[in-house]
Amino acid sequence: MDGLVYMDAVITPNRSLSQRGFVVLIGIVTLFNCVAAGVFLSMGATFVPVFLGLDVLAVIAAFAASYAAAKKIERVLVTAREVRVVRETPSSSEVIWESPTAFTRVALEIDEDDIVHGVRVAMSGRHASVAAALSPVERADFARALERAIYDARRG
């Protein structure tokens, strides 16, 4: 994209648990399950520890999927010539939206309580959702900033 950039926003999903927190959490879950497995084994329930082990594996798999999703980012670029939305992973980059700035508009999905559930860029009946990783308040702020960037790009 050539020319002055009016917006170059990078949207990343929020992950509240760090790697260290993950290790501590898995350690606590494993310790609890080992104690519970010991109790069940002493009572003669030999299959319960297998299911407790599966429980730990399920928690690890869920966090692995969460951390993989956290590496996906969304980039929204606005210049005087075009609006572009790109979804990037560490191994690939995919352009999901390109349109001339002059004809691009921002559409909001708002419920009756004025909560923003979605932000879309739209043009001629086509649309693409953006900023899905943000909270409703952040989506509203992002939509205002995107509208302002498109307005400034049209005037520039």
Side-chain angles (χ1 to χ4, degrees):
M1 294 178 70
D2 299 329
L4 183 61
V5 176
Y6 291 89
M7 175 183 267
D8 185 2
V10 176
I11 301 168
T12 58
N14 182 29
R15 297 295 176 246
S16 60
L17 191 63
S18 66
Q19 283 295 122
R20 183 174 184 215
F22 170 72
V23 170
V24 170
L25 176 69
I26 293 301
I28 291 170
V29 170
T30 302
L31 177 67
F32 175 77
N33 282 355
C34 286
V35 170
V39 169
F40 283 111
L41 279 175
S42 70
M43 293 172 30
T46 56
F47 291 111
V48 173
V50 173
F51 291 105
L52 291 174
L54 290 175
D55 178 46
V56 173
L57 290 176
V59 170
I60 291 171
F63 275 100
S66 175
Y67 285 124
K71 293 179 182 176
K72 296 177 183 175
I73 66 169
E74 185 174 61
R75 182 179 296 265
V76 180
L77 296 145
V78 178
T79 66
R81 200 176 68 181
E82 71 180 339
V83 175
R84 182 183 295 178
V85 179
V86 180
R87 296 225 171 101
E88 300 174 358
T89 64
S91 61
S92 68
S93 178
E94 176 188 8
V95 176
I96 62 163
W97 179 267
E98 279 184 315
S99 63
T101 304
F103 301 107
T104 304
R105 60 183 164 68
V106 178
L108 297 175
E109 297 172 21
I110 301 174
D111 68 5
E112 60 274 352
D113 296 326
D114 290 333
I115 297 174
V116 178
H117 290 284
V119 177
R120 296 187 290 180
V121 286
M123 181 186 85
S124 302
R126 296 184 315 127
H127 61 84
S129 294
V130 296
L134 300 177
S135 71
V137 173
E138 292 170 328
R139 272 189 222 117
D141 291 342
F142 177 78
R144 282 191 292 277
L146 180 58
E147 285 176 331
R148 183 67 189 177
I150 291 172
Y151 176 78
D152 290 345
R154 286 177 184 159
R155 295 189 68 213

